[in-house]
Amino acid sequence: PRPPFPGGDARRSRLRGAGGRGGGGGMVLLPSMLMFGVILASSGLLLMIEKGILAQVKPPHPLGRDLSQRGRGLGHQEEPMGDLEEEVLRDTRNRTIRAMCGQRTMPRSVWDLPAGQRRTVLRHLLVSDKYRFLYCYVPKVACSNWKRILKVLDGALESIDVKVKMDHKSDLVFLADMKPDEISYRLKNYYKFIFVRNPMERLLSAYRNKFGEIKEYQQKYGVEIIRRYRKNGGNSAGDDVTFSEFLRYLLDEDVERMNEHWMPIYNLCQPCAVRYDFIGSYERLNADANYVLEHVQSPSFVRFPERQSWYKPVTSETLHYYLCNTQRRLIKDLLIKYILDFSLFAYPLPNVTSEFCRQ
Protein backbone atom coordinates (compact mmCIF):
# COMPACT_ATOMS: atom_id res chain seq x y z
CA PRO A 1 0.00 0.00 0.00
CA ARG A 2 0.99 3.59 -0.46
CA PRO A 3 2.59 5.25 2.57
CA PRO A 4 0.07 6.78 4.97
CA PHE A 5 -0.60 10.49 5.00
CA PRO A 6 -1.33 12.49 8.12
CA GLY A 7 -4.40 14.64 8.15
CA GLY A 8 -8.13 14.42 8.50
CA ASP A 9 -10.12 15.07 11.62
CA ALA A 10 -8.95 13.16 14.65
CA ARG A 11 -12.22 11.84 15.92
CA ARG A 12 -12.63 10.04 19.18
CA SER A 13 -13.40 6.44 18.33
CA ARG A 14 -15.61 4.11 20.24
CA LEU A 15 -13.35 2.29 22.67
CA ARG A 16 -14.35 -0.93 24.27
CA GLY A 17 -11.25 -1.43 26.36
CA ALA A 18 -8.36 -3.83 25.98
CA GLY A 19 -10.44 -6.89 26.74
CA GLY A 20 -13.43 -6.30 24.51
CA ARG A 21 -16.62 -8.21 25.11
CA GLY A 22 -16.40 -11.89 25.71
CA GLY A 23 -18.86 -14.18 24.03
CA GLY A 24 -21.57 -14.86 26.53
CA GLY A 25 -19.76 -13.58 29.59
CA GLY A 26 -19.28 -9.84 29.34
CA MET A 27 -16.17 -8.32 30.86
CA VAL A 28 -16.37 -9.86 34.30
CA LEU A 29 -13.26 -11.94 33.75
CA LEU A 30 -11.17 -9.09 32.39
CA PRO A 31 -9.77 -6.21 34.48
CA SER A 32 -12.06 -3.30 35.11
CA MET A 33 -11.03 0.14 33.96
CA LEU A 34 -10.21 0.86 37.60
CA MET A 35 -7.81 -2.05 37.66
CA PHE A 36 -6.27 -0.77 34.43
CA GLY A 37 -5.76 2.56 36.15
CA VAL A 38 -4.08 0.90 39.11
CA ILE A 39 -1.77 -1.13 36.89
CA LEU A 40 -0.86 1.84 34.72
CA ALA A 41 -0.44 4.32 37.51
CA SER A 42 1.61 1.99 39.71
CA SER A 43 4.11 1.42 36.94
CA GLY A 44 4.22 5.03 35.83
CA LEU A 45 2.84 4.21 32.40
CA LEU A 46 0.32 7.03 32.30
CA LEU A 47 3.00 9.66 32.65
CA MET A 48 5.23 7.82 30.21
CA ILE A 49 2.51 7.68 27.57
CA GLU A 50 2.14 11.44 27.67
CA LYS A 51 5.84 12.23 27.82
CA GLY A 52 7.10 9.47 25.54
CA ILE A 53 9.57 8.47 28.25
CA LEU A 54 8.98 4.75 28.11
CA ALA A 55 9.75 4.56 24.42
CA GLN A 56 13.15 6.12 25.05
CA VAL A 57 14.18 3.26 27.34
CA LYS A 58 15.62 0.35 25.44
CA PRO A 59 14.00 -2.86 26.72
CA PRO A 60 16.19 -5.82 27.59
CA HIS A 61 16.16 -8.75 25.20
CA PRO A 62 13.84 -11.62 26.08
CA LEU A 63 15.16 -14.82 27.54
CA GLY A 64 16.99 -16.93 25.01
CA ARG A 65 19.97 -19.23 24.73
CA ASP A 66 22.53 -19.92 22.05
CA LEU A 67 22.10 -23.61 21.29
CA SER A 68 24.40 -23.74 18.31
CA GLN A 69 26.34 -26.56 19.98
CA ARG A 70 23.50 -28.87 18.93
CA GLY A 71 24.07 -27.99 15.33
CA ARG A 72 20.86 -26.04 14.86
CA GLY A 73 21.44 -23.34 12.26
CA LEU A 74 20.66 -20.08 14.03
CA GLY A 75 21.09 -17.99 10.91
CA HIS A 76 21.11 -14.37 12.04
CA GLN A 77 22.64 -14.62 15.49
CA GLU A 78 22.30 -12.01 18.19
CA GLU A 79 25.10 -11.14 20.55
CA PRO A 80 25.08 -13.10 23.81
CA MET A 81 23.16 -11.48 26.64
CA GLY A 82 24.37 -10.97 30.16
CA ASP A 83 22.68 -12.91 32.95
CA LEU A 84 21.39 -9.70 34.53
CA GLU A 85 19.64 -8.64 31.35
CA GLU A 86 17.90 -12.01 31.07
CA GLU A 87 16.80 -11.95 34.68
CA VAL A 88 15.44 -8.39 34.50
CA LEU A 89 13.12 -9.19 31.61
CA ARG A 90 12.03 -12.55 32.99
CA ASP A 91 11.34 -11.02 36.40
CA THR A 92 9.45 -8.09 34.86
CA ARG A 93 7.18 -10.37 32.86
CA ASN A 94 6.63 -12.84 35.68
CA ARG A 95 5.80 -10.16 38.24
CA THR A 96 3.43 -8.35 35.90
CA ILE A 97 1.62 -11.52 34.86
CA ARG A 98 1.36 -12.70 38.49
CA ALA A 99 -0.01 -9.35 39.64
CA MET A 100 -2.51 -9.16 36.82
CA CYS A 101 -3.61 -12.80 36.83
CA GLY A 102 -3.72 -12.93 40.62
CA GLN A 103 -6.78 -10.68 40.73
CA ARG A 104 -9.91 -12.44 41.95
CA THR A 105 -11.86 -11.56 38.81
CA MET A 106 -9.30 -13.13 36.48
CA PRO A 107 -9.72 -16.64 35.03
CA ARG A 108 -7.76 -19.47 36.62
CA SER A 109 -8.28 -21.92 33.75
CA VAL A 110 -9.76 -22.06 30.26
CA TRP A 111 -12.97 -23.37 31.81
CA ASP A 112 -13.42 -20.05 33.61
CA LEU A 113 -13.50 -18.19 30.29
CA PRO A 114 -16.71 -17.21 28.48
CA ALA A 115 -17.45 -19.58 25.60
CA GLY A 116 -16.20 -17.22 22.90
CA GLN A 117 -12.86 -16.53 24.59
CA ARG A 118 -12.35 -20.21 25.39
CA ARG A 119 -13.05 -21.15 21.79
CA THR A 120 -10.49 -18.62 20.57
CA VAL A 121 -7.63 -19.81 22.77
CA LEU A 122 -8.32 -23.52 22.19
CA ARG A 123 -8.30 -22.94 18.44
CA HIS A 124 -4.87 -21.34 18.74
CA LEU A 125 -3.26 -24.04 20.89
CA LEU A 126 -1.46 -26.56 18.71
CA VAL A 127 -0.68 -29.98 20.16
CA SER A 128 2.31 -32.31 19.88
CA ASP A 129 1.45 -35.50 21.74
CA LYS A 130 4.72 -37.12 20.70
CA TYR A 131 6.82 -34.37 22.31
CA ARG A 132 4.22 -33.37 24.89
CA PHE A 133 3.94 -29.65 24.28
CA LEU A 134 1.31 -27.03 23.48
CA TYR A 135 2.13 -24.02 21.34
CA CYS A 136 -0.21 -21.03 21.16
CA TYR A 137 0.32 -19.64 17.69
CA VAL A 138 0.14 -15.89 17.15
CA PRO A 139 -0.16 -14.71 13.52
CA LYS A 140 2.68 -12.40 12.42
CA VAL A 141 5.02 -13.89 15.04
CA ALA A 142 6.66 -16.60 12.93
CA CYS A 143 3.75 -18.98 13.41
CA SER A 144 4.07 -20.42 9.88
CA ASN A 145 7.57 -21.68 10.68
CA TRP A 146 6.39 -23.16 13.96
CA LYS A 147 3.56 -24.95 12.16
CA ARG A 148 6.11 -26.29 9.69
CA ILE A 149 8.17 -27.64 12.59
CA LEU A 150 5.14 -29.33 14.12
CA LYS A 151 4.45 -31.06 10.81
CA VAL A 152 8.05 -32.28 10.65
CA LEU A 153 7.92 -33.55 14.24
CA ASP A 154 4.68 -35.38 13.47
CA GLY A 155 6.09 -36.92 10.28
CA ALA A 156 3.67 -35.13 7.96
CA LEU A 157 6.53 -33.16 6.39
CA GLU A 158 9.91 -34.60 5.53
CA SER A 159 11.96 -31.52 6.25
CA ILE A 160 11.55 -27.88 7.20
CA ASP A 161 13.30 -27.04 3.91
CA VAL A 162 10.63 -28.65 1.72
CA LYS A 163 9.32 -25.95 -0.61
CA VAL A 164 5.57 -26.24 -0.21
CA LYS A 165 2.92 -23.63 0.45
CA MET A 166 1.96 -23.70 4.11
CA ASP A 167 -1.44 -25.22 4.79
CA HIS A 168 -2.45 -23.76 8.14
CA LYS A 169 -5.04 -26.43 8.93
CA SER A 170 -4.13 -29.87 7.60
CA ASP A 171 -1.73 -32.20 9.46
CA LEU A 172 -1.99 -30.07 12.60
CA VAL A 173 -3.70 -31.00 15.88
CA PHE A 174 -5.65 -28.26 17.65
CA LEU A 175 -6.62 -28.48 21.30
CA ALA A 176 -10.12 -27.31 20.35
CA ASP A 177 -10.70 -30.63 18.54
CA MET A 178 -10.29 -32.67 21.73
CA LYS A 179 -12.68 -33.69 24.50
CA PRO A 180 -12.76 -31.70 27.76
CA ASP A 181 -10.87 -34.32 29.77
CA GLU A 182 -8.22 -34.58 27.04
CA ILE A 183 -7.89 -30.79 27.00
CA SER A 184 -7.50 -30.59 30.78
CA TYR A 185 -4.88 -33.34 30.86
CA ARG A 186 -2.69 -31.65 28.26
CA LEU A 187 -3.03 -28.21 29.82
CA LYS A 188 -1.91 -29.65 33.14
CA ASN A 189 0.90 -31.93 31.98
CA TYR A 190 2.33 -30.59 28.71
CA TYR A 191 5.02 -27.95 28.23
CA LYS A 192 3.31 -24.75 27.08
CA PHE A 193 4.88 -21.83 25.22
CA ILE A 194 4.04 -18.77 23.15
CA PHE A 195 6.04 -16.26 21.11
CA VAL A 196 5.29 -12.55 21.36
CA ARG A 197 6.17 -9.41 19.41
CA ASN A 198 6.10 -5.65 19.83
CA PRO A 199 2.37 -4.91 19.33
CA MET A 200 2.77 -1.94 16.98
CA GLU A 201 5.38 -3.76 14.92
CA ARG A 202 3.04 -6.73 14.65
CA LEU A 203 0.16 -4.49 13.51
CA LEU A 204 2.34 -2.82 10.89
CA SER A 205 3.50 -6.21 9.64
CA ALA A 206 -0.11 -7.39 9.33
CA TYR A 207 -1.10 -4.17 7.56
CA ARG A 208 1.70 -4.34 4.98
CA ASN A 209 1.19 -8.04 4.32
CA LYS A 210 -2.60 -8.28 4.19
CA PHE A 211 -3.41 -5.02 2.44
CA GLY A 212 -0.30 -4.87 0.27
CA GLU A 213 -0.13 -8.47 -0.93
CA ILE A 214 -3.28 -10.51 -0.22
CA LYS A 215 -6.20 -9.85 -2.56
CA GLU A 216 -8.62 -11.74 -0.33
CA TYR A 217 -7.96 -9.33 2.54
CA GLN A 218 -8.15 -6.31 0.26
CA GLN A 219 -11.59 -7.38 -0.91
CA LYS A 220 -12.92 -8.56 2.45
CA TYR A 221 -11.52 -5.85 4.73
CA GLY A 222 -9.92 -3.17 2.56
CA VAL A 223 -13.05 -2.23 0.61
CA GLU A 224 -15.05 -1.94 3.84
CA ILE A 225 -12.39 0.13 5.61
CA ILE A 226 -12.16 2.63 2.77
CA ARG A 227 -15.96 2.83 2.50
CA ARG A 228 -16.15 3.69 6.21
CA TYR A 229 -13.32 6.17 6.56
CA ARG A 230 -12.73 7.83 3.20
CA LYS A 231 -14.97 10.27 1.39
CA ASN A 232 -15.73 9.19 -2.16
CA GLY A 233 -13.87 5.92 -1.67
CA GLY A 234 -16.58 3.72 -3.12
CA ASN A 235 -14.61 2.78 -6.22
CA SER A 236 -11.54 1.50 -4.38
CA ALA A 237 -10.47 -2.11 -4.81
CA GLY A 238 -9.26 -2.16 -1.21
CA ASP A 239 -5.58 -2.24 -2.14
CA ASP A 240 -4.80 1.33 -1.10
CA VAL A 241 -5.83 1.34 2.57
CA THR A 242 -3.65 3.78 4.51
CA PHE A 243 -2.16 2.87 7.88
CA SER A 244 -4.26 5.55 9.57
CA GLU A 245 -7.44 4.12 8.08
CA PHE A 246 -6.42 0.66 9.30
CA LEU A 247 -5.86 1.95 12.85
CA ARG A 248 -9.22 3.74 12.86
CA TYR A 249 -10.83 0.47 11.85
CA LEU A 250 -9.10 -1.33 14.75
CA LEU A 251 -10.38 1.30 17.20
CA ASP A 252 -13.97 0.66 16.13
CA GLU A 253 -13.68 -3.14 16.19
CA ASP A 254 -14.78 -5.29 19.11
CA VAL A 255 -11.58 -7.06 20.22
CA GLU A 256 -13.28 -10.45 20.49
CA ARG A 257 -14.47 -10.19 16.88
CA MET A 258 -11.14 -9.13 15.40
CA ASN A 259 -9.33 -11.10 12.74
CA GLU A 260 -6.58 -13.18 14.36
CA HIS A 261 -3.85 -11.29 12.51
CA TRP A 262 -4.52 -8.17 14.56
CA MET A 263 -6.32 -9.51 17.62
CA PRO A 264 -4.23 -8.76 20.76
CA ILE A 265 -1.99 -11.61 21.88
CA TYR A 266 -3.67 -11.54 25.28
CA ASN A 267 -7.02 -12.42 23.72
CA LEU A 268 -5.54 -15.05 21.42
CA CYS A 269 -3.59 -16.96 24.07
CA GLN A 270 -5.12 -15.97 27.44
CA PRO A 271 -1.95 -16.04 29.62
CA CYS A 272 -4.01 -15.94 32.82
CA ALA A 273 -6.12 -18.97 31.93
CA VAL A 274 -3.15 -20.88 30.49
CA ARG A 275 0.05 -20.94 32.55
CA TYR A 276 2.78 -20.84 29.93
CA ASP A 277 6.15 -22.31 30.80
CA PHE A 278 8.05 -20.17 28.32
CA ILE A 279 7.47 -16.85 26.59
CA GLY A 280 9.73 -16.44 23.58
CA SER A 281 10.06 -13.27 21.55
CA TYR A 282 10.27 -12.33 17.91
CA GLU A 283 13.26 -10.13 18.71
CA ARG A 284 15.33 -13.20 19.67
CA LEU A 285 13.43 -15.64 17.53
CA ASN A 286 16.15 -18.12 16.59
CA ALA A 287 17.74 -18.40 20.01
CA ASP A 288 14.41 -18.68 21.84
CA ALA A 289 12.98 -21.14 19.31
CA ASN A 290 15.99 -23.40 19.54
CA TYR A 291 15.83 -23.23 23.32
CA VAL A 292 12.28 -24.60 23.11
CA LEU A 293 13.31 -27.33 20.68
CA GLU A 294 16.11 -28.29 23.05
CA HIS A 295 13.73 -28.37 26.00
CA VAL A 296 11.18 -30.66 24.32
CA GLN A 297 14.03 -32.93 23.15
CA SER A 298 13.21 -32.74 19.47
CA PRO A 299 15.57 -34.51 17.04
CA SER A 300 18.84 -32.65 16.53
CA PHE A 301 18.24 -32.33 12.77
CA VAL A 302 15.12 -30.23 13.42
CA ARG A 303 16.11 -26.60 13.49
CA PHE A 304 14.11 -23.42 13.31
CA PRO A 305 13.83 -22.33 9.64
CA GLU A 306 15.97 -19.44 8.51
CA ARG A 307 14.23 -16.33 7.24
CA GLN A 308 13.35 -16.50 3.54
CA SER A 309 15.42 -14.22 1.30
CA TRP A 310 12.32 -12.54 -0.08
CA TYR A 311 10.98 -11.61 3.35
CA LYS A 312 11.05 -7.87 4.09
CA PRO A 313 10.93 -7.45 7.89
CA VAL A 314 9.56 -4.39 9.65
CA THR A 315 12.57 -2.35 10.74
CA SER A 316 12.68 0.27 13.48
CA GLU A 317 13.06 2.91 10.76
CA THR A 318 9.96 1.66 8.94
CA LEU A 319 7.93 1.67 12.14
CA HIS A 320 9.25 5.13 12.96
CA TYR A 321 8.10 6.41 9.55
CA TYR A 322 4.57 5.02 9.82
CA LEU A 323 3.98 6.07 13.42
CA CYS A 324 5.30 9.59 12.89
CA ASN A 325 3.04 10.02 9.85
CA THR A 326 -0.04 8.99 11.80
CA GLN A 327 -2.18 11.22 14.00
CA ARG A 328 -0.76 11.09 17.51
CA ARG A 329 -4.19 10.86 19.14
CA LEU A 330 -5.04 7.85 16.99
CA ILE A 331 -2.02 5.96 18.29
CA LYS A 332 -2.64 6.94 21.91
CA ASP A 333 -6.26 5.81 21.71
CA LEU A 334 -5.20 2.51 20.19
CA LEU A 335 -2.79 1.81 23.07
CA ILE A 336 -5.75 1.18 25.35
CA LYS A 337 -6.80 -1.84 23.31
CA TYR A 338 -3.30 -3.27 23.21
CA ILE A 339 -2.02 -2.14 26.63
CA LEU A 340 -2.01 -5.69 28.02
CA ASP A 341 0.32 -6.85 25.25
CA PHE A 342 2.67 -3.96 25.98
CA SER A 343 2.65 -4.33 29.76
CA LEU A 344 2.46 -8.11 30.27
CA PHE A 345 5.21 -8.83 27.74
CA ALA A 346 7.41 -5.86 28.68
CA TYR A 347 7.41 -3.87 25.45
CA PRO A 348 7.99 -0.11 25.38
CA LEU A 349 5.12 2.11 24.35
CA PRO A 350 5.68 3.84 21.00
CA ASN A 351 7.33 7.25 21.10
CA VAL A 352 5.38 9.67 18.95
CA THR A 353 6.52 12.91 20.54
CA SER A 354 7.27 15.81 18.24
CA GLU A 355 10.92 15.77 19.28
CA PHE A 356 11.32 12.11 18.36
CA CYS A 357 9.46 12.39 15.07
CA ARG A 358 11.60 15.32 13.94
CA GLN A 359 14.64 13.05 13.88
Side-chain angles (χ1 to χ4, degrees):
R2 292 192 292 267
F5 296 96
D9 295 331
R11 66 190 185 88
R12 185 164 298 278
S13 302
R14 299 186 300 276
L15 300 180
R16 300 180 176 90
R21 298 191 183 99
M27 294 181 63
V28 65
L29 293 177
L30 291 181
S32 64
M33 291 308 294
L34 176 61
M35 181 55 63
F36 270 118
V38 172
I39 294 173
L40 293 177
S42 63
S43 61
L45 287 179
L46 286 176
L47 177 62
M48 292 176 178
I49 290 175
E50 293 302 321
K51 300 298 184 181
I53 296 173
L54 192 61
Q56 298 171 16
V57 180
K58 293 184 178 179
H61 293 292
L63 174 65
R65 299 182 185 178
D66 180 359
L67 299 175
S68 55
Q69 64 268 25
R70 280 199 68 191
R72 302 189 192 278
L74 295 184
H76 174 68
Q77 203 159 328
E78 284 91 350
E79 295 181 4
M81 294 184 301
D83 291 341
L84 178 60
E85 195 174 22
E86 291 184 21
E87 290 301 321
V88 166
L89 181 70
R90 172 187 278 180
D91 187 60
T92 299
R93 284 179 173 165
N94 288 344
R95 285 175 179 270
T96 307
I97 291 175
R98 275 201 305 270
M100 165 94 170
C101 299
Q103 302 300 317
R104 287 185 301 174
T105 56
M106 300 305 290
R108 296 294 190 270
S109 75
V110 296
W111 309 115
D112 292 338
L113 295 169
Q117 295 178 19
R118 180 168 62 249
R119 187 163 49 247
T120 295
V121 65
L122 293 180
R123 284 177 176 174
H124 284 82
L125 281 165
L126 291 166
V127 182
S128 173
D129 282 326
K130 184 176 181 179
Y131 292 93
R132 297 177 64 85
F133 69 76
L134 301 177
Y135 159 59
C136 187
Y137 80 86
V138 178
K140 308 313 298 178
V141 191
C143 71
S144 295
N145 280 340
W146 270 114
K147 290 176 180 178
R148 186 180 293 268
I149 284 178
L150 263 77
K151 293 187 179 189
V152 172
L153 292 177
D154 195 46
L157 199 62
E158 181 180 349
S159 165
I160 62 166
D161 298 318
V162 174
K163 305 297 182 183
V164 293
K165 184 177 180 180
M166 171 56 62
D167 187 322
H168 291 267
K169 297 296 181 182
S170 67
D171 299 318
L172 292 169
V173 180
F174 297 84
L175 202 58
D177 297 330
M178 297 184 171
K179 298 177 181 179
D181 59 333
E182 296 174 329
I183 292 173
S184 294
Y185 174 82
R186 285 161 178 78
L187 285 170
K188 181 179 179 181
N189 295 286
Y190 281 17
Y191 184 73
K192 299 172 286 294
F193 66 93
I194 59 175
F195 272 72
V196 299
R197 186 178 187 179
N198 180 297
M200 291 306 300
E201 185 179 302
R202 176 174 171 249
L203 288 180
L204 178 55
S205 178
Y207 161 75
R208 295 205 308 173
N209 173 238
K210 300 308 175 186
F211 297 106
E213 303 171 9
I214 313 298
K215 193 170 184 179
E216 176 187 351
Y217 277 77
Q218 295 168 358
Q219 294 175 341
K220 182 176 180 178
Y221 295 98
V223 171
E224 172 64 17
I225 290 173
I226 291 173
R227 184 190 66 79
R228 282 197 207 176
Y229 304 113
R230 188 185 304 176
K231 293 182 179 179
N232 304 319
N235 295 324
S236 171
D239 58 351
D240 59 343
V241 176
T242 68
F243 190 55
S244 293
E245 290 169 336
F246 175 56
L247 297 189
R248 292 175 70 184
Y249 166 73
L250 295 181
L251 279 174
D252 285 341
E253 280 294 284
D254 189 320
V255 172
E256 294 298 329
R257 299 176 183 272
M258 281 184 174
N259 180 280
E260 64 176 7
H261 289 85
W262 42 81
M263 182 182 285
I265 297 174
Y266 177 89
N267 299 84
L268 289 173
C269 295
Q270 294 289 344
C272 289
V274 179
R275 298 194 174 189
Y276 292 98
D277 300 289
F278 183 81
I279 300 175
S281 80
Y282 189 83
E283 293 73 28
R284 283 190 56 84
L285 180 60
N286 288 320
D288 283 3
N290 284 289
Y291 168 74
V292 171
L293 291 172
E294 172 82 8
H295 185 90
V296 301
Q297 299 182 339
S298 70
S300 59
F301 67 85
V302 178
R303 70 188 189 281
F304 196 76
E306 296 186 24
R307 181 177 289 165
Q308 300 290 334
S309 59
W310 49 263
Y311 181 72
K312 299 294 187 294
V314 172
T315 65
S316 58
E317 291 79 11
T318 307
L319 184 61
H320 182 184
Y321 170 81
Y322 276 89
L323 292 182
C324 287
N325 283 279
T326 302
Q327 297 167 21
R328 194 175 306 171
R329 175 51 58 186
L330 193 59
I331 295 172
K332 289 182 178 180
D333 286 347
L334 192 70
L335 292 182
I336 297 175
K337 277 196 169 179
Y338 291 87
I339 194 62
L340 287 179
D341 285 3
F342 281 105
S343 58
L344 290 182
F345 307 125
Y347 282 107
L349 298 174
N351 189 344
V352 289
T353 60
S354 300
E355 293 79 7
F356 180 73
C357 287
R358 277 198 295 266
Q359 295 178 13

